[in-house]
Amino acid sequence: MVYEDVNFSTLCDFYELTMGNGYFQTGIGDRISYFDVFFRNVPDGGGFAIAAGLEQAIDYIQKLKFTERDIQYLRSKGCFSEEFLKYLTDFKFTGDIWAVPEGTPIFPGEPILTVRAPAIQAQFVETFLLLVLNHQSLIATKSNRIVRAAQGRPVSEFGSRRAQGTWGAVLGARASYIAGCASTACVMADRDYHVPASGTMAHSWVQMFDDEYTAFKTYCEVYPNDATLLVDTYNVLKSGVPNAIRAFKEVLLPKGITKCAIRMDSGDLCYLSKKARAMLDAAGLTECRIVASNSLDEYIIQDLLQQGAKIDAFGVGERLITSKSEPVFGGVYKLAAVENEQGELIPKIKISENPAKITNPHFKKVYRLFENDTGKAIADLICLHDEVIDDSQPLEIFDPDATWKRKTLTNYTARELLVPIFQNGKCVYRTPSITEIRAYCSAQIDLLWDEVKRFENPHNYYVDLSQKLWDIKHEMLSAKKGALH
């Protein structure tokens, strides 16, 4: 069953329904509300994250409905009014959604998705939107770090058997491809989401035969055009590589096939790859690639290449598909504004003793600012929804390197990040193909300075508030502070 064919109406936190019932009972269920999705910290201390999961969010919104089974279950809980349950039988999303396209580099604090809808609807979709955006953005962000560490060498996602459940494997593979992985081992991800699937053999194939050479020879005979032999079942240098060379020479070369590969899944990959490369080259197999796997991540790959490892491609599993080093993305869904009976916007703010948890109020948009001389992104500006940045005029923002002073931008271009996804409950967005999303992601990352892309102590890409938005936020904070005293 494809992910989009599943009814996810009850994949929500229970309080979404208790609040919905309360809104309904008190007559404010149709009050137009604005909620923002944003995140607070980039995983692994990185300089940026990558937005992913919008396609699944769209499918969820389009197919959201309560079945008779759902209604019977909710009735059994004994806490929902019959009028509310009747309301749910005809439930559908009628609001508006704006979001950044999948593959967009994103930064803490800025809205990556905004919902404008009647309160019950806007509240109800919170859990699922966070689920899909948090998960795929996390895996896309981790995958891109690993891809960048490989310095142009292909990275294959190998993680299904270690993923956090069925959809963690399938949609994790999808997110990894968006972020730059070349392929996946997950067949379902290929069938349903067109992520290229690839794979060759496990150690069991080698063990199944009487000897290693026969296993290799047989595989080359069955798959002569895609022969990758796993050489570390017994001993890489004493038997694995020599038997692979023999099989390649006896089966492939007589057919004029020089494309082949060996894979190593254990041991000192740097040392073994250097020795294996020398053996392959001495045998005339200069086109034979060396593939490495075995609990890799961006730091191990980076170290291997710095040490001169002769590795042409990588297979990465558990540390990618689970984002093992930091397995939580931390996106949140917060109320930013409501409309009164006259349709006027009333900004809302959440205050906390932790400054990082104080929200930005109001209905907003986000501009990304690019230097015209270099084409590189230099800052993002969060504005009120009706503000327009005229990039023919100088713009003053906080200096990213010294937040106590201002920096005036000239010769720049401003582009809006959030695009319309739903209007009045109807999807108005053409979902790109996964190859289009992948190409877009790569192009957008290229617009970031290398300093932002560092793994260690990346440059702080600055996200600023427009003066109008800052004034509103400051006024609300001051009013709340005064009320508390």
Side-chain angles (χ1 to χ4, degrees):
M1 180 178 289
V2 181
Y3 184 85
E4 287 82 4
D5 294 335
V6 181
N7 175 27
F8 288 114
S9 60
T10 53
L11 206 173
C12 67
D13 291 302
F14 196 73
Y15 73 10
E16 313 292 10
L17 288 161
T18 57
M19 285 189 289
N21 183 62
Y23 294 153
F24 185 89
Q25 296 282 15
T26 55
I28 62 172
D30 291 330
R31 189 178 192 184
I32 299 300
S33 307
Y34 296 75
F35 284 82
D36 291 332
V37 175
F38 61 93
F39 70 105
R40 297 190 176 106
N41 297 292
V42 178
D44 292 308
F48 68 98
I50 295 174
L54 179 60
E55 181 178 329
Q56 284 64 51
I58 291 171
D59 287 320
Y60 164 75
I61 294 292
Q62 288 180 314
K63 298 169 182 175
L64 184 57
K65 64 178 182 180
F66 287 84
T67 66
E68 181 58 34
R69 180 189 178 197
D70 297 331
I71 299 300
Q72 289 178 359
Y73 158 74
L74 294 174
R75 182 177 287 115
S76 73
K77 301 301 291 183
C79 59
F80 301 111
S81 70
E82 283 299 318
E83 293 80 9
F84 179 63
L85 295 178
K86 184 177 186 305
Y87 164 84
L88 292 182
T89 62
D90 300 319
F91 184 92
K92 66 177 181 178
F93 185 81
T94 62
D96 307 320
I97 293 178
W98 298 261
V100 300
E102 289 191 271
T104 301
I106 52 176
F107 300 92
E110 62 190 17
I112 62 173
L113 183 145
T114 295
V115 174
R116 175 191 179 273
I120 294 175
Q121 297 177 30
Q123 192 77 68
F124 182 75
V125 299
E126 172 184 5
T127 305
F128 195 90
L129 291 180
L130 287 177
L131 185 159
V132 292
L133 296 175
N134 274 331
H135 172 241
Q136 289 196 58
S137 297
L138 175 72
I139 304 305
T141 302
K142 184 65 171 181
S143 298
N144 186 257
R145 288 171 62 87
I146 293 170
V147 167
R148 285 185 285 123
Q151 300 177 26
R153 296 164 179 80
V155 174
S156 296
E157 181 276 308
F158 278 10
S160 292
R161 63 192 63 192
R162 303 284 171 79
Q164 318 292 34
T166 305
W167 300 119
V170 178
L171 295 180
R174 177 184 184 273
S176 75
Y177 186 65
I178 287 172
C181 284
S183 61
T184 179
C186 180
V187 177
M188 190 172 180
D190 191 356
R191 186 196 69 180
D192 295 342
Y193 297 104
H194 311 295
V195 181
S198 65
T200 54
M201 64 172 65
H203 293 110
S204 56
W205 171 276
V206 180
Q207 296 170 292
M208 198 70 71
F209 292 83
D210 290 338
D211 60 83
E212 189 176 47
Y213 167 72
T214 303
F216 289 169
K217 177 175 180 291
T218 303
Y219 196 89
C220 288
E221 291 170 342
V222 176
Y223 301 106
N225 295 313
D226 190 23
T228 298
L229 305 179
L230 185 58
V231 296
D232 69 331
T233 303
Y234 304 120
N235 187 291
V236 173
L237 301 180
K238 290 184 178 179
S239 66
V241 175
N243 282 325
I245 290 172
R246 181 183 171 191
F248 290 149
K249 283 189 166 184
E250 293 183 3
V251 179
L252 301 187
L253 294 188
K255 298 179 180 181
I257 298 172
T258 58
K259 179 186 175 183
C260 55
I262 62 170
R263 179 165 72 93
M264 296 178 292
D265 191 50
S266 60
D268 186 332
L269 296 176
C270 183
Y271 170 79
L272 293 173
S273 69
K274 290 178 182 179
K275 291 293 186 181
R277 181 76 271 160
M279 295 167 69
L280 292 166
D281 289 350
L285 295 167
T286 56
E287 295 183 44
C288 181
R289 297 192 313 154
I290 298 176
V291 182
S293 53
N294 184 29
S295 297
L296 301 175
D297 62 17
E298 64 268 42
Y299 294 108
I300 295 174
I301 290 173
Q302 185 173 251
D303 285 348
L304 285 169
L305 297 181
Q306 287 175 348
Q307 294 164 25
K310 302 299 182 181
I311 298 171
D312 302 296
F314 297 93
V316 185
E318 62 188 45
R319 298 189 183 188
L320 182 159
I321 205 65
T322 65
S323 187
K324 182 179 179 181
S325 55
E326 189 159 346
V328 177
F329 191 69
V332 294
Y333 188 87
K334 298 298 181 183
L335 181 66
V338 297
E339 292 182 14
N340 63 19
E341 293 179 356
Q342 290 73 43
E344 299 170 329
L345 274 169
I346 311 299
K348 298 287 183 177
I349 190 169
K350 176 187 178 297
I351 296 178
S352 170
E353 293 183 3
N354 181 348
K357 290 195 172 185
I358 297 174
T359 61
N360 292 318
H362 223 291
F363 179 26
K364 300 176 288 294
K365 64 170 65 169
V366 183
Y367 280 99
R368 182 150 294 166
L369 310 176
F370 298 87
E371 273 186 345
N372 288 339
D373 290 342
T374 64
K376 297 293 188 181
I378 48 177
D380 287 1
L381 190 64
I382 308 175
C383 306
L384 298 179
H385 70 100
D386 55 358
E387 285 190 81
V388 177
I389 300 301
D390 181 357
D391 49 24
S392 67
Q393 301 296 317
L395 179 67
E396 192 177 55
I397 62 170
F398 277 113
D399 189 324
D401 297 314
T403 55
W404 51 268
K405 66 180 181 179
R406 292 280 184 169
K407 179 177 182 178
T408 300
L409 299 181
T410 58
N411 194 28
Y412 68 96
T413 297
R415 301 175 193 164
E416 285 192 47
L417 289 188
L418 295 156
V419 299
I421 309 297
F422 283 88
Q423 291 180 352
N424 298 318
K426 180 180 179 181
C427 183
V428 295
Y429 179 72
R430 182 192 74 84
T431 300
S433 69
I434 196 165
T435 54
E436 290 174 317
I437 298 171
R438 187 172 188 267
Y440 167 81
C441 181
S442 176
Q444 294 303 303
I445 291 171
D446 284 345
L447 298 178
L448 301 177
W449 289 99
D450 289 342
E451 290 81 357
V452 177
K453 294 184 275 188
R454 284 196 300 254
F455 293 155
E456 299 291 346
N457 300 313
H459 173 77
N460 179 33
Y461 182 93
Y462 201 64
V463 178
D464 197 6
L465 305 183
S466 71
Q467 189 63 54
K468 288 184 179 179
L469 179 55
W470 166 248
D471 289 344
I472 291 171
K473 182 175 183 178
H474 182 71
E475 182 181 340
M476 294 182 73
L477 288 172
S478 298
K480 293 290 185 182
K481 182 179 179 181
L484 292 173
H485 290 82

mmCIF file of all heavy atoms in Angstrom, residues 41-47 138 141-143 145 298-299 319 323-328 454-458:
data_model
loop_
_atom_site.group_PDB
_atom_site.id
_atom_site.type_symbol
_atom_site.label_atom_id
_atom_site.label_comp_id
_atom_site.label_asym_id
_atom_site.label_seq_id
_atom_site.Cartn_x
_atom_site.Cartn_y
_atom_site.Cartn_z
ATOM 1 N N ASN A 41 16.882 24.885 15.880
ATOM 2 C CA ASN A 41 18.315 24.599 15.801
ATOM 3 C C ASN A 41 18.596 23.666 14.629
ATOM 4 O O ASN A 41 17.845 22.715 14.384
ATOM 5 C CB ASN A 41 18.808 23.930 17.094
ATOM 6 C CG ASN A 41 18.659 24.825 18.306
ATOM 7 O OD1 ASN A 41 19.325 25.846 18.442
ATOM 8 N ND2 ASN A 41 17.746 24.449 19.208
ATOM 9 N N VAL A 42 19.705 23.913 13.930
ATOM 10 C CA VAL A 42 20.127 23.034 12.841
ATOM 11 C C VAL A 42 20.767 21.783 13.442
ATOM 12 O O VAL A 42 21.637 21.885 14.314
ATOM 13 C CB VAL A 42 21.130 23.744 11.920
ATOM 14 C CG1 VAL A 42 21.591 22.801 10.810
ATOM 15 C CG2 VAL A 42 20.513 25.006 11.331
ATOM 16 N N PRO A 43 20.359 20.601 13.008
ATOM 17 C CA PRO A 43 20.967 19.373 13.541
ATOM 18 C C PRO A 43 22.477 19.334 13.334
ATOM 19 O O PRO A 43 23.008 19.886 12.359
ATOM 20 C CB PRO A 43 20.276 18.263 12.725
ATOM 21 C CG PRO A 43 18.979 18.858 12.295
ATOM 22 C CD PRO A 43 19.265 20.306 12.071
ATOM 23 N N ASP A 44 23.164 18.694 14.242
ATOM 24 C CA ASP A 44 24.609 18.486 14.187
ATOM 25 C C ASP A 44 25.395 19.785 14.220
ATOM 26 O O ASP A 44 26.564 19.822 13.821
ATOM 27 C CB ASP A 44 25.005 17.681 12.936
ATOM 28 C CG ASP A 44 24.521 16.247 13.001
ATOM 29 O OD1 ASP A 44 24.795 15.584 14.011
ATOM 30 O OD2 ASP A 44 23.855 15.788 12.049
ATOM 31 N N GLY A 45 24.775 20.871 14.682
ATOM 32 C CA GLY A 45 25.481 22.136 14.722
ATOM 33 C C GLY A 45 25.815 22.679 13.353
ATOM 34 O O GLY A 45 26.753 23.482 13.200
ATOM 35 N N GLY A 46 25.073 22.261 12.340
ATOM 36 C CA GLY A 46 25.341 22.683 10.976
ATOM 37 C C GLY A 46 24.915 24.114 10.713
ATOM 38 O O GLY A 46 24.292 24.771 11.549
ATOM 39 N N GLY A 47 25.229 24.593 9.508
ATOM 40 C CA GLY A 47 24.918 25.964 9.158
ATOM 41 C C GLY A 47 23.558 26.152 8.534
ATOM 42 O O GLY A 47 23.051 27.278 8.473
ATOM 43 N N LEU A 138 14.903 16.306 8.497
ATOM 44 C CA LEU A 138 16.022 15.766 9.261
ATOM 45 C C LEU A 138 16.904 14.878 8.389
ATOM 46 O O LEU A 138 18.135 15.040 8.344
ATOM 47 C CB LEU A 138 15.500 14.964 10.458
ATOM 48 C CG LEU A 138 16.553 14.232 11.290
ATOM 49 C CD1 LEU A 138 17.373 15.222 12.099
ATOM 50 C CD2 LEU A 138 15.899 13.198 12.207
ATOM 51 N N THR A 141 18.683 16.765 5.595
ATOM 52 C CA THR A 141 19.792 17.558 6.118
ATOM 53 C C THR A 141 21.008 16.675 6.402
ATOM 54 O O THR A 141 22.140 17.015 6.026
ATOM 55 C CB THR A 141 19.356 18.295 7.395
ATOM 56 O OG1 THR A 141 18.236 19.131 7.087
ATOM 57 C CG2 THR A 141 20.476 19.139 7.965
ATOM 58 N N LYS A 142 20.787 15.541 7.048
ATOM 59 C CA LYS A 142 21.891 14.620 7.335
ATOM 60 C C LYS A 142 22.485 14.056 6.051
ATOM 61 O O LYS A 142 23.713 13.972 5.898
ATOM 62 C CB LYS A 142 21.396 13.480 8.225
ATOM 63 C CG LYS A 142 22.482 12.510 8.661
ATOM 64 C CD LYS A 142 23.500 13.189 9.557
ATOM 65 C CE LYS A 142 24.464 12.192 10.177
ATOM 66 N NZ LYS A 142 25.434 12.852 11.065
ATOM 67 N N SER A 143 21.625 13.678 5.119
ATOM 68 C CA SER A 143 22.098 13.086 3.865
ATOM 69 C C SER A 143 22.972 14.059 3.101
ATOM 70 O O SER A 143 24.008 13.678 2.539
ATOM 71 C CB SER A 143 20.907 12.673 2.999
ATOM 72 O OG SER A 143 20.121 11.693 3.643
ATOM 73 N N ARG A 145 24.802 16.454 4.262
ATOM 74 C CA ARG A 145 26.120 16.549 4.912
ATOM 75 C C ARG A 145 27.008 15.395 4.447
ATOM 76 O O ARG A 145 28.193 15.585 4.141
ATOM 77 C CB ARG A 145 25.960 16.504 6.436
ATOM 78 C CG ARG A 145 25.355 17.762 7.027
ATOM 79 C CD ARG A 145 25.020 17.569 8.513
ATOM 80 N NE ARG A 145 26.197 17.298 9.330
ATOM 81 C CZ ARG A 145 26.977 18.228 9.871
ATOM 82 N NH1 ARG A 145 26.710 19.511 9.667
ATOM 83 N NH2 ARG A 145 28.010 17.894 10.622
ATOM 84 N N GLU A 298 29.407 11.511 7.778
ATOM 85 C CA GLU A 298 30.165 12.549 7.091
ATOM 86 C C GLU A 298 31.584 12.703 7.642
ATOM 87 O O GLU A 298 32.525 12.997 6.887
ATOM 88 C CB GLU A 298 29.426 13.894 7.154
ATOM 89 C CG GLU A 298 29.245 14.485 8.542
ATOM 90 C CD GLU A 298 27.936 14.091 9.206
ATOM 91 O OE1 GLU A 298 27.557 12.892 9.102
ATOM 92 O OE2 GLU A 298 27.312 14.958 9.847
ATOM 93 N N TYR A 299 31.752 12.484 8.946
ATOM 94 C CA TYR A 299 33.071 12.680 9.538
ATOM 95 C C TYR A 299 34.029 11.549 9.164
ATOM 96 O O TYR A 299 35.207 11.789 8.877
ATOM 97 C CB TYR A 299 32.950 12.803 11.055
ATOM 98 C CG TYR A 299 32.206 14.046 11.472
ATOM 99 C CD1 TYR A 299 30.916 13.978 11.992
ATOM 100 C CD2 TYR A 299 32.779 15.302 11.328
ATOM 101 C CE1 TYR A 299 30.226 15.125 12.359
ATOM 102 C CE2 TYR A 299 32.112 16.461 11.694
ATOM 103 C CZ TYR A 299 30.821 16.355 12.210
ATOM 104 O OH TYR A 299 30.143 17.498 12.567
ATOM 105 N N ARG A 319 23.521 5.424 10.064
ATOM 106 C CA ARG A 319 23.807 6.771 10.548
ATOM 107 C C ARG A 319 23.169 7.844 9.670
ATOM 108 O O ARG A 319 23.066 8.990 10.090
ATOM 109 C CB ARG A 319 25.327 6.979 10.645
ATOM 110 C CG ARG A 319 25.964 6.029 11.639
ATOM 111 C CD ARG A 319 27.410 6.364 11.898
ATOM 112 N NE ARG A 319 28.001 5.370 12.803
ATOM 113 C CZ ARG A 319 29.210 5.475 13.337
ATOM 114 N NH1 ARG A 319 29.956 6.535 13.057
ATOM 115 N NH2 ARG A 319 29.670 4.534 14.135
ATOM 116 N N SER A 323 19.610 9.448 11.168
ATOM 117 C CA SER A 323 20.335 10.650 11.608
ATOM 118 C C SER A 323 20.856 10.408 13.025
ATOM 119 O O SER A 323 20.558 11.143 13.963
ATOM 120 C CB SER A 323 19.443 11.891 11.567
ATOM 121 O OG SER A 323 20.180 13.058 11.833
ATOM 122 N N LYS A 324 21.650 9.362 13.150
ATOM 123 C CA LYS A 324 22.040 8.840 14.457
ATOM 124 C C LYS A 324 22.663 9.889 15.371
ATOM 125 O O LYS A 324 22.422 9.905 16.579
ATOM 126 C CB LYS A 324 23.014 7.679 14.265
ATOM 127 C CG LYS A 324 23.446 7.019 15.570
ATOM 128 C CD LYS A 324 24.386 5.857 15.314
ATOM 129 C CE LYS A 324 24.832 5.225 16.628
ATOM 130 N NZ LYS A 324 25.772 4.101 16.410
ATOM 131 N N SER A 325 23.449 10.804 14.812
ATOM 132 C CA SER A 325 24.144 11.775 15.652
ATOM 133 C C SER A 325 23.204 12.790 16.280
ATOM 134 O O SER A 325 23.488 13.331 17.344
ATOM 135 C CB SER A 325 25.207 12.512 14.837
ATOM 136 O OG SER A 325 24.617 13.099 13.685
ATOM 137 N N GLU A 326 22.074 13.068 15.633
ATOM 138 C CA GLU A 326 21.067 13.967 16.191
ATOM 139 C C GLU A 326 19.711 13.605 15.572
ATOM 140 O O GLU A 326 19.331 14.157 14.542
ATOM 141 C CB GLU A 326 21.410 15.430 15.949
ATOM 142 C CG GLU A 326 20.492 16.362 16.715
ATOM 143 C CD GLU A 326 21.083 17.755 16.912
ATOM 144 O OE1 GLU A 326 22.281 17.930 16.695
ATOM 145 O OE2 GLU A 326 20.328 18.652 17.287
ATOM 146 N N PRO A 327 18.976 12.695 16.189
ATOM 147 C CA PRO A 327 17.796 12.121 15.553
ATOM 148 C C PRO A 327 16.494 12.896 15.715
ATOM 149 O O PRO A 327 15.421 12.343 15.471
ATOM 150 C CB PRO A 327 17.695 10.745 16.233
ATOM 151 C CG PRO A 327 18.255 10.976 17.595
ATOM 152 C CD PRO A 327 19.354 11.984 17.423
ATOM 153 N N VAL A 328 16.551 14.156 16.113
ATOM 154 C CA VAL A 328 15.333 14.966 16.257
ATOM 155 C C VAL A 328 15.539 16.288 15.538
ATOM 156 O O VAL A 328 16.543 16.969 15.775
ATOM 157 C CB VAL A 328 14.990 15.219 17.740
ATOM 158 C CG1 VAL A 328 13.764 16.117 17.855
ATOM 159 C CG2 VAL A 328 14.748 13.902 18.474
ATOM 160 N N ARG A 454 30.266 24.711 6.223
ATOM 161 C CA ARG A 454 31.257 24.002 7.046
ATOM 162 C C ARG A 454 30.569 23.067 8.037
ATOM 163 O O ARG A 454 29.511 23.384 8.569
ATOM 164 C CB ARG A 454 32.119 24.993 7.833
ATOM 165 C CG ARG A 454 33.181 25.716 7.047
ATOM 166 C CD ARG A 454 34.197 26.344 8.001
ATOM 167 N NE ARG A 454 33.582 27.300 8.905
ATOM 168 C CZ ARG A 454 33.703 28.622 8.800
ATOM 169 N NH1 ARG A 454 34.401 29.155 7.817
ATOM 170 N NH2 ARG A 454 33.125 29.425 9.682
ATOM 171 N N PHE A 455 31.216 21.944 8.341
ATOM 172 C CA PHE A 455 30.697 21.032 9.364
ATOM 173 C C PHE A 455 30.987 21.562 10.771
ATOM 174 O O PHE A 455 30.171 21.410 11.677
ATOM 175 C CB PHE A 455 31.322 19.641 9.211
ATOM 176 C CG PHE A 455 30.906 18.930 7.944
ATOM 177 C CD1 PHE A 455 31.706 17.950 7.387
ATOM 178 C CD2 PHE A 455 29.716 19.243 7.309
ATOM 179 C CE1 PHE A 455 31.333 17.288 6.228
ATOM 180 C CE2 PHE A 455 29.327 18.592 6.147
ATOM 181 C CZ PHE A 455 30.147 17.614 5.610
ATOM 182 N N GLU A 456 32.119 22.142 10.945
ATOM 183 C CA GLU A 456 32.516 22.639 12.264
ATOM 184 C C GLU A 456 32.463 24.171 12.269
ATOM 185 O O GLU A 456 33.016 24.826 11.382
ATOM 186 C CB GLU A 456 33.940 22.178 12.612
ATOM 187 C CG GLU A 456 34.108 20.665 12.678
ATOM 188 C CD GLU A 456 33.392 20.031 13.852
ATOM 189 O OE1 GLU A 456 32.988 20.778 14.769
ATOM 190 O OE2 GLU A 456 33.248 18.797 13.859
ATOM 191 N N ASN A 457 31.800 24.736 13.289
ATOM 192 C CA ASN A 457 31.713 26.188 13.453
ATOM 193 C C ASN A 457 31.334 26.911 12.166
ATOM 194 O O ASN A 457 32.066 27.790 11.687
ATOM 195 C CB ASN A 457 33.036 26.740 13.993
ATOM 196 C CG ASN A 457 33.408 26.144 15.327
ATOM 197 O OD1 ASN A 457 32.578 26.060 16.227
ATOM 198 N ND2 ASN A 457 34.656 25.711 15.459
ATOM 199 N N PRO A 458 30.203 26.552 11.569
ATOM 200 C CA PRO A 458 29.802 27.226 10.333
ATOM 201 C C PRO A 458 29.489 28.693 10.578
ATOM 202 O O PRO A 458 29.125 29.097 11.693
ATOM 203 C CB PRO A 458 28.552 26.457 9.902
ATOM 204 C CG PRO A 458 27.997 25.909 11.186
ATOM 205 C CD PRO A 458 29.199 25.573 12.014
#
